[in-house]
Structure formats: C-alpha cells, structure tokens
Amino acid sequence: MYHIQTLNKISPYGLEKFDRSKYICGDDVQNPDAVLVRSASMHDMQLGDNLKAIARAGAGVNNIPIDRCSQQGIVVFNTPGANANAVKELVMCGLLMSARKVYPAMDWVQTIKGEGDAVPKLVEKGKAQFSGPELSGKKLGVIGLGAIGILVANFARHFGMQVYGYDPYMSVETAWKVSRDIKHAISLQEIYENCDFITLHVPLTPETKEMINSESIKMMKHGVRILNFARGELVSTKDIKDAIDEKQVRCYVTDFPSDELLGHPGVLAIPHLGASTPESEDNCAKMAAEELIDYLENGNITNSVNLPNVIINRNCKTRVTVIHKNIPQMITAIAGVFGDCGVNIENLTNKSKKEYAYTVVDTNGDASEDAISKLKAIDGVIRVNIYR
Ligand SMILES: NC(=O)C1=CN([C@@H]2O[C@H](COP(=O)(O)OP(=O)(O)OC[C@H]3O[C@@H](n4cnc5c(N)ncnc54)[C@H](O)[C@@H]3O)[C@@H](O)[C@H]2O)C=CC1
Ligand SMILES: O=C(O)C(=O)COP(=O)(O)O
C-alpha cells in the first residue's frame, strides 16, 4: 500500500484518482510515501525516510523546502497552469477594483439603509465621491509572462489597455502564446516608467523578494496602481505603505494581506483567493494526483521543480531509478553495477536538472539486493527505487 498525506483540503476530484486498493490517503496518514499540499508551509516539517515525493496542487513552491528535498532524493512536483485561469479572472477583477471605487462605494451605500424613499436621491448625491478612471487606453505592465502573466496580458487588451510585458527567462514555447500587440519590455525600468497599472506574476525567489520597494516605486508614474496576486514578500510592506501615504501609489491590490496592510487606506486586501475556484481546485488536484501516481508506480517524473522530467513507457520486468548528483562518471558507475551483477540493461535514460540527475534503468533481469546495495554505495547516489 502507498500512503499519501494531505496537508490542505484537496479536491475530491483529485483524491479519487488514487485507487483505494493500493492507496491510503488522509491528513492523519503517518510516515507517508508522498505528500499532497497546497499552501501549507512545510519548512518546519520533518521529511521522513519513507517520503519519496511531494506534489504541490498549485504553482508556487515557496512553501516547500526544495533544497532539503533534493538532498534527500524527494521529488517535488507542481501543476503548471492548472490554476492560471482562476488567477487571471481575479486579476481582472482587481484591475477594475483598483480603478473604480466599487469596494468603498458598496460599503458606503449600505450606510444609507433605512432612509426609505430618500435612498435613490442619496445615491445620486453620494456617488460623486466614488468616481474612478477607465482602463481603456491605460498602460498595464505585466511582470512575469508565465502561465498567469500571459493570460492576464492577452486578456487586458480586451479592456483596451496597452500592455507591456517583462520576463527575461521566457521560453520560446511561451513566447509563441504572447499576443503580438504586447510590447516586449526589455527592462523593469521600462515597465516602471511607463505603466499606470503594474501586476506581478513572478515566483518568490531571492531575486524577486521585495522587488517592489522604495527604489523601484520611485521610478514609477505618480498615482500608479499595483496588483500582487503572486506572493506577499515580493513587495516591501513598509515601502508600499509609505508610497500610498505619499500618494505615489494610488492603490495596492494584494491577495496576500498582512496585519500591517489590513485597514491601511489604499490597500485592497483579498484573502488569497486567486486559485479558489472549483475548476482550478479540481484541475490542480487531478494533475498533482496523476503526477504522484506515475512517479510512485512507474518512476516517471512530470512537472518536477527539482528533478528533470523523465517519462518512459514501462515494458520490462524491472525498473530501477537512481536520483543522484549531476557529476561525472555516474552513468558508468551505475551501468557497471548491473554489469558486475550479470544483469543486462535493456534501456538506460539519464537526464539532469542543475545539480541533480535522474537515471532510469529498465531490465528484463532482476535487481538483486546486492545490486541495490552497490548502487546505493556509489558516491553521489542519493536514492534508489525499484519498480517490479
Ligand atoms: N494568488 C494565487 O492564488 C496564486 C498565486 N500564484 C503565484 O503566481 C506565481 C506565478 O504563477 P504562474 O504564472 O503559474 O507560474 P509560471 O512559472 O508559469 O510563471 C512565472 C514566470 O515568471 C518568470 N520570472 C521568474 N523570475 C522572474 C523575474 N525575476 N523577472 C521577470 N520574470 C520572472 C518566469 O520566467 C515565468 O515565465 C507563482 O509562482 C505563485 O507564487 C500562482 C497561482 C495562484
Ligand atoms: O498555486 C499557487 O501558487 C497559489 O498560491 C494557490 O494557492 P492555494 O492552492 O489556493 O492555497
């Protein structure tokens, strides 16, 4: 039996992928083979020796100790694009809310309840304080043109916005999806200096942490509106509050409220609802479950953030997979063990990702305990798994 521990509420649509004759799933599962998680922080968690994989049903993996996982040979998956449409739709709502004063206006209109027949007149009188600009003709800067950024950039054109996109790491495959009308910004400065609205769609990394700070805000247009549906730590809380107080920033829409931001005028705080739609929860859970199942049962890796993607049909009696450091002589050493044990290799695949690599060996022979011990003893080998 495989044991799957869930750390957040995971859509049943994903959980039902696990065949109950082979899998036990639940939040109380101990010593799991794999963990299914959304935003719960795993940084302070012990990662047991039996743990082989973690699947993040979602995009951001900053809640997972990736380095520790790699060192322990734990494969970390995410579900690229599975919640992108949900986030895009809420970003559009955020854009509208940052311009038109819908939220404070709706609060205000409730205060005239009880005024009877005077309500329509009071509405017409009171509405003047809530006028806000249109999006059409304004410039939107999209930072990060991944699954979400591209959808946001392409959609915003339908609001009549002029869109600038910035992503120095964009793949060619991704570039094909960007509409031709989107201006390719070659620097962040170009976005900061030109745009009336700026929306962040980058992962939280040491490079992007607090990328919005007093220095970057200084370069922006007076009265800029900033949207953050990516991660709270991308924006310096102190600097954004100061910039709002100085009217340099007109509005900050964030899906990641902190105590200091709540109640601050000019901040529109949303309780991390970007991916909270049934459609996206289903998509993410299904994709995450399928990734775990194919890894646990076949050793195939799809959408891992710390190991290379390796998907090979299984048509041999035995598969042995090795997670190891990406250093010279590993393939020779691994193949040598099979040779020494008299086992013929039918197929050997090796792929690497940064400091780590993955080797899959298929054979019609058997992998003896002796062979497995020898593989584990190779300097640089982190984990060996057998699939029969
Ligand atoms: N509010 C919510 O509920 C959700 C938030 N997110 C957040 O949004 C982020 C983006 O999600 P996706 O678009 O699905 O991820 P993605 O991986 O498809 O796209 C991220 C893009 O950012 C780019 N990038 C990385 N560093 C950059 C930098 N320094 N400057 C400019 N571009 C840079 C990458 O090249 C990539 O194209 C996630 O990492 C997560 O933190 C994602 C889903 C839901
Ligand atoms: O996918 C992401 O990065 C998200 O932020 C979504 O988080 P959630 O799964 O809604 O807790």
Side-chain angles (χ1 to χ4, degrees):
M1 286 299 262
Y2 299 103
H3 292 79
I4 310 289
Q5 185 181 16
T6 52
L7 296 185
N8 292 101
K9 202 170 157 287
I10 305 290
S11 155
Y13 192 67
L15 294 177
E16 73 192 19
K17 295 271 156 202
F18 295 105
D19 176 347
R20 292 308 149 121
S21 67
K22 291 194 269 183
Y23 289 87
I24 297 173
C25 304
D27 53 8
D28 53 354
V29 163
Q30 300 295 313
N31 198 21
D33 294 279
V35 165
L36 239 177
V37 62
R38 284 178 62 175
S39 288
S41 175
M42 296 186 67
H43 286 284
D44 296 329
M45 272 180 71
Q46 282 234 318
L47 307 173
D49 286 346
N50 189 43
L51 186 62
K52 298 167 190 72
I54 297 170
R56 199 293 190 218
V61 288
N62 55 300
N63 55 322
I64 301 170
I66 307 288
D67 288 345
R68 209 152 42 98
C69 288
S70 304
Q71 287 152 16
Q72 285 185 229
I74 298 164
V75 186
V76 181
F77 299 91
N78 71 351
T79 60
N83 57 21
N85 188 63
V87 182
K88 174 204 81 183
E89 290 188 6
L90 203 63
V91 172
M92 294 306 142
C93 173
L95 266 177
L96 290 164
M97 300 247 294
S98 72
R100 310 292 288 272
K101 299 191 178 115
V102 182
Y103 178 68
M106 286 174 73
D107 260 0
W108 170 80
V109 82
Q110 292 298 331
T111 68
I112 58 173
K113 178 160 173 62
E115 297 291 339
D117 292 347
V119 165
K121 243 191 187 164
L122 288 169
V123 162
E124 294 312 320
K125 195 162 165 243
K127 74 181 184 185
Q129 52 186 315
F130 300 113
S131 93
E134 297 183 17
L135 299 179
S136 184
K138 304 296 183 313
K139 290 181 178 150
L140 170 68
V142 181
I143 302 179
L145 290 168
I148 299 168
I150 285 184
L151 294 184
V152 168
N154 289 349
F155 194 91
R157 293 172 312 122
H158 301 298
F159 283 147
M161 300 188 89
Q162 219 179 310
V163 183
Y164 288 57
Y166 174 77
D167 189 333
Y169 310 112
M170 194 171 38
S171 64
V172 175
E173 189 195 337
T174 310
W176 279 104
K177 298 182 192 152
V178 181
S179 161
R180 293 165 60 192
D181 308 343
I182 288 160
K183 187 169 179 346
H184 173 206
I186 53 166
S187 67
L188 280 170
Q189 191 170 346
E190 194 179 343
I191 298 263
Y192 295 154
E193 286 175 355
N194 286 289
C195 295
D196 307 291
F197 296 78
I198 294 173
T199 184
L200 306 174
H201 299 292
V202 293
L204 175 64
T205 64
E207 184 193 353
T208 59
K209 189 170 191 293
E210 299 208 341
M211 62 186 291
I212 304 299
N213 55 38
S214 58
E215 287 304 305
S216 49
I217 292 172
K218 228 184 273 167
M219 286 187 248
M220 296 177 193
K221 283 171 97 166
H222 185 73
V224 64
R225 291 166 165 89
I226 300 174
L227 289 85
N228 180 4
F229 285 83
R231 282 298 176 262
E233 296 90 331
L234 299 174
V235 176
S236 158
T237 301
K238 180 184 178 308
D239 294 357
I240 194 88
K241 280 171 65 185
D242 289 350
I244 292 171
D245 294 344
E246 290 155 12
K247 309 258 183 297
Q248 168 68 359
V249 171
R250 180 73 58 94
C251 178
Y252 175 49
V253 184
T254 179
D255 207 14
F256 303 92
S258 64
D259 199 38
E260 297 109 295
L261 288 170
L262 289 173
H264 195 86
V267 174
L268 287 181
I270 302 170
H272 194 187
L273 289 183
S276 293
T277 66
E279 295 87 346
S280 112
E281 290 175 358
D282 289 353
N283 282 344
C284 291
K286 176 176 172 285
M287 204 191 276
E290 286 170 350
E291 290 164 357
L292 285 183
I293 291 167
D294 203 18
Y295 180 63
L296 292 174
E297 297 189 14
N298 300 311
N300 284 331
I301 301 182
T302 315
N303 297 327
S304 169
V305 297
N306 62 339
L307 280 152
N309 286 340
V310 179
I311 304 140
I312 306 158
N313 280 342
R314 267 181 76 189
N315 43 26
C316 284
K317 193 174 130 198
T318 311
R319 168 169 289 182
V320 177
T321 66
V322 187
I323 295 173
H324 54 88
K325 291 196 180 145
N326 185 18
I327 51 176
Q329 301 294 337
M330 292 306 292
I331 303 175
T332 314
I334 292 167
V337 168
F338 285 89
D340 290 348
C341 295
V343 178
N344 185 45
I345 293 173
E346 300 293 334
N347 178 38
L348 185 150
T349 303
N350 170 274
K351 283 198 177 172
S352 65
K353 187 164 186 158
K354 296 184 184 162
E355 299 133 76
Y356 295 94
Y358 191 57
T359 299
V360 178
V361 179
D362 284 336
T363 171
N364 281 322
D366 201 6
S368 64
E369 285 308 315
D370 180 41
I372 300 307
S373 313
K374 283 183 173 147
L375 285 171
K376 285 183 178 166
I378 297 171
D379 205 18
V381 165
I382 300 168
R383 183 165 218 145
V384 179
N385 292 320
I386 308 142
Y387 305 82
R388 291 189 170 99

